[in-house]
Amino acid sequence: MTEKVTWPAIRAALLIQRWYRQYVARLEMRRRCTWNIFQSIEYAGEQDQIKLYNFFGFLMDHFTPASSERNLICHIFRKNEICRDIDWERYFCYRSIEVPDSYTGPHLTFPMTFCGVSKLVEAFKHKQNGLPSSDKPYVFNGDYVDRGKNSLEILLILFGFLLVYPNDVHLNRGNHEDHIVNLRYGFTKEVLGKYRVHGKKILKLLQKIFSWLPLATVIDQKVLIVHGGISDTTDLDTIGRVDRHKYVSALKAPKHHAVNGSTTQTMNRNREANLPEEGRRRVYSMNHCSSASAYRYNLQHRSLHSQSISSHLNCSVEEELKMRRRMAGFDQSYRKLSQSDSDSDPESGETTETDEHQWKQIVDMLWSDPMAQNGCVPNEVRGGGCYWGPDVTEEVLGRHNLQLLIRSHECKQEGYEFCHNRRVLTIFSASNYYEVGSNRGAYIRMGSDLVPHFIQYQASRTCMELTLRQSVGWTERSALRALREQLFVHKSDLISAFQEFDPHNTGKISLRNWASATEKVLNLGLPWRVLRPQLVNRTQYGMVDYQQWIRELSITEPKLEVSDNSILETMYKNHSNLETIFRIIDTDHSGLISFEEFHQTWKLLSTHLKMEISDKAIADLAQSIDFNKDGSIDINEFMEAFRLVDLSAHS
């Protein structure tokens, strides 16, 4: 017997449905605002990094060779002196490293075997996806470092698998595989903290390795994988010819003599003439190569499970390295490399038109983002690369007979996102990137049909136990905390901007003017009127008491007496830039700088900012943070002393 539904019951159900939809819509609006805050602050930091490096380039190009500012930073533009030596490999030989008795980690032997790699690997231990093989190759799409406190361990795992499975593990370069970017985002600090004796040597070696990582990988001649993206000038034949090691940092084009390109072949010729053997997935990195590239794709699968390893164990380290270089497509001798290296002193030559074109393509592939509109415009939000539209995607993929572009570089809330008529796929594997619960991570499984299948996950068990409302609330509080810090460090500029809308000095302005002035100062592109209830506690008749609001920002200042408040605000605003300059000036990577170097750092920063900072203010600041009075300043202690703390998070 069917129960009769009354009109009041239907009405109640409709009201509940309406309420729930409004509830979910409000949560979604809060989630999107939170996302915009995180992303805007992140991209503003990247833009600052590129502006600072461009400023260094300006110093190198326009200041006299004897100027103190130029001498401070010229070493980051020069070729690594150690790597110039044709015997640089012997310098980095593992047998020359002194291992202290206190070391309790794995002791590896070379040639590398699976047993050695198994001591390093944790991610593959349970074999959720299986080990690399000819029918199960892996592609990792850059940004292995500057992503947490275990970047070096991640690199060791990936490099270990690359040695054991050179045909089945492919590592693309990301925009963070760059020693200049590492100065700002933590990897340099991580290495020096973990390896106080050999840290400098490790950084020099990684700098060289990063420059050799491929810029792109192609699957079955149909799927292109790059870290950032493409532009309207992207040409895969050009990318296939690039001597990648010349571009140690993608942030600045090297200056060098023209290189004879007669020893290179285009990727198209390699593709057509040298197809892999039947049964092997045709996955290859786009290397600068000669005939060794062809040889590499015709090698038998070199998994140490499937063949005898006695011959490899009997060969010398030098022979093993030569063999691995050939398998990776690096057939040039190191004598040739040292002669053609171009990350050299900027006075050594002039940039050719070809070099400029290649460099721009590299920057585009590492730094670019897709946009919904047609066209290709500079990516002024990040400060590097471009924004490219669906028309550019169609043209580039069509010209190279490709069907899909897979890229990373942007955090996505679900871990992946299609755009450009599903011809561009963004994949982002780091869950909880901004904060616990801010996003899922994802990776792709792709079969022979080249259809991507997504596996999403959360790395934090805490996040998996949160409700939607709790997750949104958690990440929203974190985003607002970061935003309040930005407001606090710009408080003087904000007050000046507010006063322009307050000619009678009432101390109050309208909400519209508050939002307009705040955006003018911070330039983050945020919906300030929507965020106002979370940022401004009290309004009266639609007016904001901006003086009271500034005083109520719950941020604590350091307990150091500084005679000049302007230097304090400069420190807050340019915290990351200042740390970058410190680490550049700290050429021996000791973590300590002298008073004179401290003074030079501030003078360099003031030149960059086009502002005056008195010598007395700098000297007073140096004295106040020399805690043990030994005449030197610990960089980490200095940065920690000026770390902002949001009091609202501890109340």
Side-chain angles (χ1 to χ4, degrees):
M1 181 176 180
T2 304
E3 183 178 350
K4 185 176 181 180
V5 180
T6 63
W7 169 244
I10 295 176
R11 184 180 181 185
L14 291 173
L15 288 173
I16 292 173
Q17 184 185 60
R18 179 180 172 185
W19 169 86
Y20 181 73
R21 286 177 174 173
Q22 291 176 341
Y23 169 76
V24 172
R26 284 194 296 269
L27 282 180
E28 178 62 18
M29 184 176 69
R30 289 170 57 191
R31 189 174 70 98
R32 292 187 180 184
C33 284
T34 297
W35 192 260
N36 287 340
I37 293 170
F38 279 132
Q39 198 168 66
S40 295
I41 293 175
E42 178 191 12
Y43 290 175
E46 291 183 345
Q47 188 180 103
D48 281 348
Q49 166 76 14
I50 293 178
K51 286 180 179 178
L52 181 64
Y53 193 70
N54 288 340
F55 165 70
F56 292 157
F58 176 83
L59 290 183
M60 294 299 300
D61 292 339
H62 295 89
F63 279 42
T64 62
S67 66
S68 59
E69 292 91 346
R70 193 178 189 280
N71 290 336
L72 279 173
I73 49 87
C74 64
H75 64 277
I76 67 172
F77 289 91
R78 284 203 191 99
K79 178 172 174 54
N80 189 313
E81 295 297 333
I82 294 172
C83 293
R84 182 178 296 172
D85 190 337
I86 61 173
D87 296 323
W88 75 281
E89 214 168 55
R90 282 199 289 264
Y91 176 83
F92 291 113
C93 178
Y94 75 99
R95 289 175 296 190
S96 67
I97 299 175
E98 297 180 6
V99 181
D101 295 336
S102 59
Y103 175 72
T104 59
H107 291 260
L108 303 180
T109 59
F110 294 88
M112 185 79 82
T113 67
F114 174 73
C115 293
V117 177
S118 66
K119 297 177 183 178
L120 295 172
V121 68
E122 290 293 335
F124 290 89
K125 184 168 63 175
H126 301 295
K127 298 186 178 180
Q128 181 178 2
N129 298 299
L131 293 170
S133 64
S134 60
D135 58 351
K136 194 178 294 180
Y138 281 80
V139 180
F140 298 89
N141 203 23
D143 280 9
Y144 316 112
V145 300
D146 290 332
R147 293 290 182 260
K149 299 178 181 179
N150 300 308
S151 296
L152 196 56
E153 289 78 4
I154 291 171
L155 278 181
L156 289 174
I157 292 172
L158 294 176
F159 290 166
F161 271 99
L162 183 62
L163 286 172
V164 176
Y165 304 103
N167 294 316
D168 307 315
V169 173
H170 303 265
L171 306 181
N172 281 351
R173 185 179 185 178
N175 65 310
H176 279 261
E177 278 68 64
D178 187 309
H179 68 285
I180 299 300
V181 177
N182 300 154
L183 286 167
R184 182 187 186 102
Y185 289 97
F187 184 58
T188 298
K189 180 179 178 180
E190 177 191 341
V191 173
L192 295 175
K194 291 177 177 177
Y195 296 91
R196 299 187 180 277
V197 177
H198 303 295
K200 182 178 179 181
K201 183 184 293 187
I202 292 171
L203 286 172
K204 288 180 181 295
L205 178 58
L206 289 174
Q207 176 178 329
K208 195 72 174 177
I209 293 173
F210 287 166
S211 72
W212 273 113
L213 290 177
L215 298 166
T217 298
V218 176
I219 301 177
D220 288 351
Q221 303 184 46
K222 291 297 182 183
V223 178
L224 173 67
I225 305 174
V226 298
H227 177 75
I230 56 176
S231 71
D232 53 0
T233 63
T234 295
D235 178 48
L236 298 188
D237 293 336
T238 298
I239 295 301
R241 290 193 300 265
V242 168
D243 287 339
R244 298 188 306 278
H245 71 285
K246 296 191 299 189
Y247 305 91
V248 176
S249 174
L251 294 183
K252 184 175 175 65
K255 294 184 177 181
H256 52 84
H257 298 293
V259 178
N260 187 348
S262 61
T263 61
T264 63
Q265 296 179 337
T266 68
M267 287 305 300
N268 277 346
R269 273 179 282 174
N270 287 336
R271 293 180 206 168
E272 294 166 1
N274 304 290
L275 296 178
E277 69 270 22
E278 190 68 26
R280 174 177 291 281
R281 293 295 301 282
R282 292 175 290 181
V283 182
Y284 60 89
S285 300
M286 301 191 69
N287 292 313
H288 164 80
C289 55
S290 61
S291 60
S293 179
Y295 170 72
R296 178 164 71 101
Y297 298 128
N298 286 307
L299 285 171
Q300 293 295 317
H301 176 50
R302 305 198 67 88
S303 167
L304 297 182
H305 285 300
S306 61
Q307 57 182 293
S308 170
I309 65 174
S310 59
S311 60
H312 299 293
L313 294 179
N314 291 330
C315 69
S316 68
V317 173
E318 288 73 19
E319 290 171 340
E320 171 74 7
L321 287 170
K322 288 180 182 178
M323 180 182 68
R324 295 300 180 181
R325 281 201 299 273
R326 287 196 302 270
M327 294 170 66
F330 306 147
D331 65 325
Q332 302 180 64
S333 71
Y334 276 92
R335 181 176 299 278
K336 290 180 180 178
L337 289 182
S338 65
Q339 292 171 351
S340 64
D341 268 346
S342 57
D343 47 329
S344 55
D345 191 311
E347 322 311 333
S348 64
E350 292 300 322
T351 305
T352 67
E353 185 175 341
T354 300
D355 297 328
E356 188 76 14
H357 177 64
Q358 290 180 349
W359 169 69
K360 287 180 178 178
Q361 294 218 14
I362 290 174
V363 174
D364 287 339
M365 297 190 86
L366 295 178
W367 284 88
S368 296
D369 296 305
M371 64 178 181
Q373 300 80 14
N374 285 336
C376 188
V377 298
N379 191 333
E380 296 180 354
V381 175
R382 288 189 189 267
C386 69
Y387 281 114
W388 88 92
D391 58 330
V392 175
T393 295
E394 291 293 328
E395 193 278 327
V396 172
L397 295 187
R399 175 158 35 95
H400 294 93
N401 196 28
L402 298 166
Q403 65 186 37
L404 179 65
L405 167 64
I406 298 178
R407 43 92 61 176
S408 301
H409 196 44
E410 282 186 290
C411 183
K412 297 299 179 181
Q413 290 181 331
E414 296 302 320
Y416 71 93
E417 183 178 276
F418 278 104
C419 64
H420 294 182
N421 300 316
R422 297 180 70 85
R423 300 203 70 185
V424 173
L425 169 59
T426 298
I427 189 75
F428 198 85
S429 61
S431 65
N432 308 316
Y433 178 64
Y434 293 121
E435 179 58 86
V436 174
S438 63
N439 67 284
R440 295 181 180 183
Y443 61 89
I444 298 171
R445 284 178 179 162
M446 184 173 285
S448 58
D449 57 1
L450 300 181
V451 175
H453 301 274
F454 304 101
I455 294 86
Q456 298 170 287
Y457 54 87
Q458 285 281 3
S460 170
R461 183 176 298 275
T462 301
C463 181
M464 291 187 285
E465 296 172 351
L466 295 176
T467 65
L468 176 61
R469 182 177 181 180
Q470 290 172 328
S471 177
V472 171
W474 190 318
T475 54
E476 183 181 56
R477 285 190 293 273
S478 179
L480 292 173
R481 188 159 57 244
L483 186 56
R484 276 194 293 268
E485 288 185 7
Q486 293 294 313
L487 292 167
F488 178 80
V489 302
H490 289 86
K491 59 183 181 181
S492 294
D493 294 335
L494 284 169
I495 290 175
S496 297
F498 293 151
Q499 287 174 342
E500 293 181 10
F501 294 103
D502 184 24
H504 303 295
N505 294 320
T506 64
K508 297 179 180 180
I509 57 175
S510 68
L511 288 174
R512 179 181 179 181
N513 290 337
W514 172 85
S516 176
T518 303
E519 174 58 26
K520 179 181 178 181
V521 172
L522 268 67
N523 195 30
L524 292 177
L526 294 174
W528 294 103
R529 298 185 75 174
V530 175
L531 292 169
R532 192 272 310 166
Q534 284 80 27
L535 297 173
V536 182
N537 294 327
R538 292 189 298 272
T539 59
Q540 189 174 16
Y541 305 113
M543 303 294 285
V544 177
D545 186 334
Y546 60 86
Q547 296 283 4
Q548 180 67 22
W549 176 67
I550 291 290
R551 288 193 295 269
E552 289 178 351
L553 284 174
S554 301
I555 304 291
T556 185
E557 302 185 36
K559 297 179 180 179
L560 292 174
E561 294 185 7
V562 180
S563 59
D564 188 343
N565 283 332
S566 65
I567 201 171
L568 193 62
E569 287 202 14
T570 302
M571 171 67 211
Y572 287 144
K573 288 181 188 177
N574 299 278
H575 188 274
S576 296
N577 281 343
L578 195 57
E579 182 172 8
T580 300
I581 298 175
F582 276 151
R583 299 201 180 279
I584 290 173
I585 290 178
D586 178 26
T587 54
D588 62 355
H589 298 299
S590 65
L592 300 173
I593 57 175
S594 66
F595 276 15
E596 177 59 27
E597 289 172 329
F598 183 80
H599 179 270
Q600 291 174 325
T601 297
W602 276 96
K603 285 300 183 181
L604 192 61
L605 180 64
S606 64
T607 304
H608 172 52
L609 300 176
K610 299 178 181 179
M611 62 178 293
E612 287 293 328
I613 301 177
S614 69
D615 292 341
K616 183 180 184 303
I618 297 174
D620 289 347
L621 181 59
Q623 291 288 344
S624 68
I625 61 176
D626 181 17
F627 301 113
N628 57 4
K629 306 303 178 185
D630 64 351
S632 62
I633 296 170
D634 185 299
I635 298 174
N636 293 329
E637 287 186 3
F638 175 73
M639 303 310 295
E640 183 64 21
F642 284 86
R643 184 171 61 87
L644 294 174
V645 178
D646 186 350
L647 297 180
S648 66
H650 303 279
S651 59

